[in-house]
């Protein structure tokens, strides 16, 4: 979908380039290209040269010319063929040559030397990684990653609006599941129903989303564990079915953990829900401008320890979200950094029994001067079907 040029975030990038005395950025990660040009490529072969002054240059596959003309904020688009009958090299090499040619006219250039391997294109299931040739082509370049992290950690109003759309789709899919989930169906079947709604109904959502893509990990009762794939385990009555879910709407993400239960919740889980929601609510309330990420991590982990789960969880309890599902900042006790107005944070405490089972809650919050604002309309905690 075509969005108006987001001058707020582009000016923030240029201001940071001026501070670092950089003349141009050369980016290849699909999410960084989306961030700077609004073009979300299909295969991750594309690139962008973003100058401190002047018009950016988008370098993209010939097959994507119509998409670039419709969505990109720059009119300077350089096309390269995906197939060349006299050049057997991969198409990404042709993109690299164009990027090197365009950037040669600038003094101080920075490229993504780190943090690029998780980036995904519009096919999303096929992450794009960088070849050595990409780095060798810019031997004198600085690393653009820190600059992009600083710029992207603060979201513009347009970015928040785009993330709110992704959150709405994720929430609507969960409401759909309240009428679908039944004991005995498999977690994989539940995942398919949730994903089908996101892709089928989210694509075209309110006439504002061109493509919505779903990702999920679904567990129920004793199959609830961290870093475990969805399986054919059955949905359990009286125990939560945990939906670890992501929606990507035209390149901007929502990341939630929601819980449904069929029938009456068992006393063991009712007690766990009460304790974990206390930890969660305290974390959300603490996510205010000026507070410290390290202290937030300490508070959450101390609260989970008090519930009888020392050392948990093994996953981060907070991360940024935007043009990636997981991006800086992260809460960690070894990193002293400040929560800032304008950040969008995914807060996700969880605790798990060693024999299987447990609970996690997660939603996305926009940090404002008045405090954190939840982006999803779907409730937290364990919701009855």
């Amino acid at each position: 979908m075509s969005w108006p040029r987001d001058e707020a975030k582009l000016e923030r990038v240029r201001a940071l380039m001026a501070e670092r005395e950089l003349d141009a950025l050369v980016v290849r990660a699909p999410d960084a290209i989306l961030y700077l040009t609004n073009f979300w490529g299909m295969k991750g072969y594309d690139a962008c040269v973003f100058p401190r002054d002047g018009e950016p240059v988008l370098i993209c596959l010939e097959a994507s010319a119509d998409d670039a003309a419709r969505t990109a904020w720059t009119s300077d688009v350089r096309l390269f063929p995906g197939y060349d009958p006299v050049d057997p090299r991969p198409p990404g090499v042709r993109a690299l040559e164009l990027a090197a040619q365009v950037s040669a006219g600038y003094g101080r250039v920075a490229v993504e030397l780190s943090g690029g391997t998780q980036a995904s294109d519009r096919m999303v299931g096929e992450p794009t990684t960088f070849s050595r040739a990409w780095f060798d082509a810019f031997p004198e370049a600085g690393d653009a990653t820190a600059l992009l992290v600083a710029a992207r950690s603060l979201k513009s109003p347009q970015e928040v609006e785009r993330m709110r759309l992704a959150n709405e789709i994720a929430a609507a899919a969960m409401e759909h599941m309240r009428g679908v989930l039944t004991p005995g169906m498999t977690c994989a079947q539940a995942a398919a129903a949730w994903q089908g709604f996101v892709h089928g109904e989210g694509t075209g959502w309110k006439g504002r989303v061109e493509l919505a893509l779903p990702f999920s990990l679904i567990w129920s009762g004793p199959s609830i564990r961290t870093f475990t794939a969805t399986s054919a385990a059955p949905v359990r009555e009286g125990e939560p079915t945990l939906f670890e879910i992501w929606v990507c709407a035209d390149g901007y993400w929502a990341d939630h953990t929601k819980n449904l239960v069929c029938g009456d919740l068992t006393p063991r889980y009712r007690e766990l829900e009460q304790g974990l929601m206390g930890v969660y609510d305290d974390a959300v309330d603490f996510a205010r401008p000026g507070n410290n990420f390290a202290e937030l991590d300490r508070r959450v982990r101390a609260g989970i320890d008090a519930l009888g789960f020392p050392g948990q969880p093994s996953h981060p309890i907070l991360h940024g979200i935007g043009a990636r599902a997981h991006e800086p900042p992260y809460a960690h006790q070894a990193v002293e950094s400040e929560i800032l107005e304008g950040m969008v944070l995914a807060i996700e405490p969880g605790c798990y029994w060693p024999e299987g089972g447990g609970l996690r809650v997660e939603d996305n919050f926009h940090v404002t001067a008045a405090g954190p604002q939840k982006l999803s309309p779907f409730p937290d905690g364990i919701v009855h079907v």
Side-chain angles (χ1 to χ4, degrees), residues 117-278:
T117 56
Q118 284 188 326
S120 295
D121 48 53
R122 190 145 50 118
M123 292 176 69
V124 181
E126 187 175 18
T128 303
T129 56
F130 291 69
S131 65
R132 176 173 175 173
W134 183 262
F135 304 112
D136 290 346
F138 305 95
E140 305 300 323
D143 190 353
T145 304
L147 183 151
L148 290 168
V149 165
R152 288 171 54 169
S153 66
L154 302 179
K155 302 302 187 282
S156 68
Q158 183 185 114
E159 290 184 284
V160 175
E161 184 179 1
R162 295 174 74 158
M163 295 170 70
R164 198 180 297 276
L165 289 169
N167 272 258
E168 288 177 1
I169 295 167
M174 287 305 304
E175 288 291 352
H176 169 71
M177 292 307 301
R178 294 182 72 179
V180 171
L181 194 72
T182 56
M185 70 187 306
T186 70
C187 292
Q189 289 169 337
W194 184 87
Q195 291 190 8
F197 183 96
V198 170
H199 194 33
E201 303 300 324
T203 298
W205 184 260
K206 296 183 176 179
R208 304 184 69 197
V209 175
E210 184 173 298
L211 176 64
L213 291 169
F215 304 87
S216 65
L217 293 168
I218 312 298
W219 311 305
S220 188
S223 71
I224 297 174
R225 299 174 185 269
T226 58
F227 302 108
T228 304
T230 301
S231 71
V235 169
R236 301 282 289 253
E237 185 170 0
E239 298 182 340
T241 298
L242 186 153
F243 289 71
E244 172 63 88
I245 48 177
W246 302 262
V247 169
C248 185
D250 293 336
Y252 276 84
W253 293 75
D255 179 5
H256 299 165
T257 307
K258 301 299 180 183
N259 299 272
L260 299 179
V261 64
C262 302
D264 294 329
L265 190 64
T266 63
R268 186 189 195 198
Y269 267 108
R270 191 176 301 115
E271 180 182 359
L272 180 60
E273 178 193 23
Q274 182 179 0
L276 186 60
M277 287 304 298

Side-chain angles (χ1 to χ4, degrees), residues 31 48 134 214 263 302 333 383:
D31 55 304
C48 171
W134 183 262
Q333 295 172 37
V383 178

Side-chain angles (χ1 to χ4, degrees), residues 31 33 59 122 138 165 190-191 223 225 285 295 327 335 384:
D31 55 304
I33 296 170
I59 298 163
R122 190 145 50 118
F138 305 95
L165 289 169
S223 71
R225 299 174 185 269
D285 186 64
E295 177 59 25
E327 62 181 33
V335 179
H384 286 80

Side-chain angles (χ1 to χ4, degrees), residues 266-349:
T266 63
R268 186 189 195 198
Y269 267 108
R270 191 176 301 115
E271 180 182 359
L272 180 60
E273 178 193 23
Q274 182 179 0
L276 186 60
M277 287 304 298
V279 173
Y280 177 71
D281 291 342
D282 178 73
V284 171
D285 186 64
F286 190 80
R288 296 173 180 271
N291 284 342
N292 184 279
F293 281 114
E295 177 59 25
L296 177 54
D297 192 76
R298 280 190 286 269
R299 292 171 74 102
V300 168
R301 294 184 185 278
I304 290 174
D305 191 339
L307 296 177
F309 299 89
Q312 292 199 31
S314 59
H315 55 76
I317 57 90
L318 178 149
H319 60 84
I321 184 170
R324 287 191 187 183
H326 297 83
E327 62 181 33
Y330 291 89
H332 195 285
Q333 295 172 37
V335 179
E336 293 290 336
S337 55
E338 189 176 296
I339 299 170
L340 301 176
E341 183 180 351
M343 290 178 169
V344 176
L345 306 174
I347 299 174
E348 52 172 325

